[in-house]
Amino acid sequence: LSLASRAVAAEAVPTPVAAAVADWGRPPADMLRDARDKPAQTVAFSKAKSGDVVVDFIPHDGYYTRIFSALVGAKGIVHPLVPDMFGKENADAWKESTASILSIANIHRYRNVTMLGQSLLQYGGQFSVPEQANVIWSAGGYHELHNKPFGAGAIVVPVLRQALASLNVGSKCVGSDNVAAKGAGFGASDSLQRSEPDAVRAEIVSAGFVFDGESDVLRNPGDDHTRPASDTGLDGKPDRFVLRFTKPE
């Protein structure tokens, strides 16, 4: 079944989510991204709320980490999970992400943020968190799991199974990434930084998750999926999917 036929209408943004996005502690550079990345709508789609445990998987610079921190509040926890990317060619990206997340966690207002750093390749596929989570969130990094540093996709399903085990029953997993052309699967993950939505959905469902809907809030029909997602001609707005899954009984 095509994802296009399972799209859900944009949901109203709850007041706590809007407040988290408007939080004064967010850097001006992050707020400038909001018109492009629409965090109020996408975070609302995740169903995250005050008091939740949220895992921000592959958090990059922590753009969403700050928002989730403000949203879950003092009774909640945010775990940015930074995977250890092997190889010298990935060392700078790993160091930059780690430094960004640690700098956030060291700010008093983000004291509910605790970074997790681990190798996904250990134990045949690792995804380990200190307590059961309510939301697993991953924005813009799913295609990276199919690149060489992570075994070219060999450990993705085992990692997803561990992620499923880390969630409470009924909790959500939300993934957003750049759209690859239909039929491309993960063949454009390295060259174009893209993954095909249907392939992502099938892979996550194969790990035991139940598909729970799609938001089209980040779709861009002007992107023909032939250029790298980072191409300047896309003005930072590649066509992106947002998929939500749940952990069944």
Side-chain angles (χ1 to χ4, degrees), residues 4-248:
S5 65
R6 296 294 301 276
V8 298
E11 301 174 46
V13 176
T15 298
V17 174
V21 172
D23 183 67
W24 65 267
R26 297 182 64 217
D30 278 15
M31 290 192 167
L32 286 174
R33 285 177 51 181
D34 290 353
R36 178 189 74 191
D37 293 325
K38 301 179 181 179
Q41 293 93 325
T42 55
V43 170
F45 188 67
S46 77
K47 305 291 188 179
K49 62 187 184 304
S50 177
D52 277 354
V53 175
V54 175
V55 181
D56 187 2
F57 183 45
I58 316 179
H60 297 112
D61 61 0
Y63 173 83
Y64 289 101
T65 299
R66 293 177 187 265
I67 295 172
F68 280 115
S69 173
L71 175 60
V72 304
K75 294 184 179 180
I77 302 171
V78 180
H79 289 304
L81 196 163
V82 183
D84 183 4
M85 294 179 285
F86 293 93
K88 293 181 180 179
E89 67 275 16
N90 301 292
D92 288 343
W94 179 82
K95 288 178 181 178
E96 288 174 7
S97 182
T98 299
S100 294
I101 298 304
L102 288 177
S103 69
I104 293 171
N106 284 332
I107 298 172
H108 182 69
R109 72 184 290 102
Y110 299 120
R111 57 192 178 278
N112 60 357
V113 172
T114 302
M115 191 190 88
L116 304 175
Q118 57 193 244
S119 167
L120 303 183
L121 299 175
Q122 284 187 307
Y123 315 119
Q126 179 180 219
F127 187 106
S128 179
V129 297
E131 56 272 298
Q132 294 298 102
N134 304 104
V135 173
I136 295 174
W137 170 272
S138 185
Y142 196 91
H143 66 274
E144 296 177 20
L145 299 174
H146 283 267
N147 292 344
K148 186 177 178 180
F150 296 122
I155 51 85
V156 178
V157 171
V159 166
L160 289 171
R161 288 176 180 148
Q162 293 300 315
L164 181 70
S166 77
L167 280 171
N168 291 308
V169 171
S171 294
K172 306 299 181 184
C173 174
V174 178
S176 170
D177 204 1
N178 310 309
V179 176
K182 191 164 185 62
F186 299 104
S189 63
D190 193 15
S191 59
L192 301 182
Q193 303 92 51
R194 297 177 181 271
S195 52
E196 184 195 4
D198 284 343
V200 173
R201 174 183 166 182
E203 187 168 66
I204 294 176
V205 167
S206 76
F209 288 91
V210 173
F211 179 61
D212 191 41
E214 176 190 19
S215 171
D216 63 1
V217 69
L218 297 180
R219 298 306 298 258
N220 176 9
D223 177 4
D224 65 6
H225 310 142
T226 62
R227 293 176 286 176
S230 57
D231 191 295
T232 55
L234 294 172
D235 194 28
K237 297 178 182 178
D239 189 20
R240 288 172 285 175
F241 61 83
V242 185
L243 306 178
R244 187 175 64 208
F245 303 84
T246 191
K247 179 175 180 175

